[in-house]
Amino acid sequence: MRAFVFPGQGAQTIGMGRELAQAYPAARDVFEQVDDALGEKLSDLIWNGDIETLTLTQNAQPALMAASMAAFRALEAEGINIQDANFVAGHSLGEYSALCAAGSLTLEDTARLLRLRGQAMQEAVPVGIGAMAAILGLDFETVDRIARETAGEEEEVVQAANDNDPAQVVISGHKAAVERAAEAMKAAGAKRALMLPVSAPFHSVLMQPAAAAMADALAGVDIQPPAVPLIANVRAEAVIEPGAIRRLLVEQVTGTVRWRESIANLAEGGVTEFWEIGAGKALSGMIKRIAKDVTVRNIGMPDDVVAVRG
């Protein structure tokens, strides 16, 4: 069994998807359609811009989706389609890419939703108020417990935001609370606690204004049942019903990305092959740390696409 998985924020690079667009007309069409949907040349920023501007949340989210969908369209050109997977999943914004690939959302709607999602998440909390930190070397249960304990001290928010793999959990919330929790986690045995270069406390309850904005936006978008089941971030289990998908996309803004559980559940359910479709290889590393016996393939360049024909 096989799962197609799609990366989230942090994987962006200048030039991503350009070689695919040069090699495959269908991949080039993706970038043109995203440009048209947004009413601007996002492709020019992706291929010729500066990394600081590309990394702005409102740009990175639709850009990473475009790179993933370009790779997916290139796969289709080589005869690989969504029915060649048993499941799809994506990390945070990658969940939208997964739904687009599975035919649940149109490319144009996905681009517009991610632009709005990025803007809403950035605007939800003033710059400097929130923060995120990666905790290395502690399991999720320990991180979650310490976050809850330290948050209660000052009635500030800090929570486990991303359960990425057995040795990496990301926390998110008020800056002071995140710093306090990070110190407590180092005292509890964490190998490292790294403050992340992000501009907002994603996947925390401080994102509630963004969740409300996404609820309004998603209410006006047609969502079809995906061609193959989606493993939803906040449930770590399969979902196909459009109403449930809509609710879970809203919950995802403030909820924990349960990536470790999602991959473990897929592997335990018989998935032996994971294809990371789009920019970077971050998910592949996580997957190998979660399920050591599975095979991981990266699809981000023309050579990667051609290789699947063998």
Side-chain angles (χ1 to χ4, degrees):
M1 294 175 67
R2 179 185 296 150
F4 291 164
V5 298
F6 298 84
Q9 208 157 321
Q12 65 274 2
T13 58
I14 295 297
M16 63 182 180
R18 179 165 45 201
E19 292 184 39
L20 286 166
Q22 292 169 343
Y24 292 93
R28 184 173 63 250
D29 287 346
V30 167
F31 289 101
E32 292 175 355
Q33 290 171 49
V34 169
D35 286 350
D36 289 344
L38 298 180
E40 65 181 72
K41 281 282 189 181
L42 184 65
S43 59
D44 188 55
L45 171 61
I46 297 169
W47 295 337
N48 306 304
D50 63 271
I51 190 63
E52 290 79 13
T53 305
L54 180 60
T55 298
L56 292 173
T57 304
Q58 66 188 49
N59 294 326
Q61 295 201 26
L64 282 160
M65 181 276 297
S68 285
M69 286 306 300
F72 185 73
R73 296 293 181 233
L75 283 173
E76 290 182 323
E78 295 290 355
I80 301 292
N81 58 48
I82 195 63
Q83 280 76 26
D84 289 297
N86 302 93
F87 300 95
V88 292
H91 192 282
S92 191
L93 81 88
E95 194 156 82
Y96 286 79
S97 305
L99 288 166
C100 187
S104 193
L105 291 168
T106 67
L107 180 63
E108 293 81 2
D109 281 343
T110 308
R112 287 188 287 262
L113 285 168
L114 285 173
R115 167 53 57 82
L116 173 64
R117 184 176 182 267
Q119 291 171 332
M121 292 173 83
Q122 184 60 65
E123 294 167 1
V125 179
V127 174
I129 299 298
M132 300 180 77
I135 310 301
L136 308 182
L138 289 182
D139 61 32
F140 175 79
E141 289 72 19
T142 303
V143 171
D144 185 53
R145 174 180 56 78
I146 295 173
R148 292 174 187 276
E149 291 171 355
T150 55
E153 292 176 9
E154 302 291 340
E155 296 186 350
E156 291 176 321
V157 169
V158 58
Q159 66 190 79
N162 297 354
D163 182 9
N164 284 335
D165 65 43
Q168 184 193 114
V169 182
V170 175
I171 58 174
S172 180
H174 287 106
K175 186 172 185 289
V178 169
E179 291 172 341
R180 190 168 60 246
E183 289 302 315
M185 289 169 193
K186 285 194 286 187
K191 293 179 181 177
R192 297 183 75 185
L194 307 172
M195 298 301 291
L196 298 179
V198 297
S199 53
F202 305 130
H203 298 291
S204 76
V205 296
L206 297 179
M207 288 286 107
Q208 186 54 47
M214 291 311 297
D216 289 342
L218 286 160
V221 170
D222 180 49
I223 299 178
Q224 293 294 314
V228 297
L230 169 78
I231 304 300
N233 282 183
V234 295
R235 280 193 187 169
E237 61 187 27
V239 59
I240 57 171
E241 198 276 313
I245 290 170
R246 199 183 311 270
R247 290 192 301 275
L248 293 171
L249 288 174
V250 175
E251 288 181 26
Q252 186 222 62
V253 178
T254 58
T256 301
V257 175
R258 295 166 62 183
W259 191 251
R260 175 183 58 84
E261 289 178 80
S262 296
I263 299 304
N265 290 346
L266 284 169
E268 289 168 8
V271 172
T272 58
E273 197 173 332
F274 291 84
W275 291 17
E276 181 174 3
I277 300 175
K281 299 181 179 181
L283 297 185
S284 298
M286 294 178 196
I287 290 166
K288 291 298 289 183
R289 288 188 289 272
I290 297 164
K292 300 186 188 307
D293 296 329
V294 303
T295 300
V296 180
R297 183 190 289 267
N298 297 98
I299 310 292
M301 298 290 284
D303 288 349
D304 302 329
V305 178
V306 172
V308 304
R309 292 186 306 192

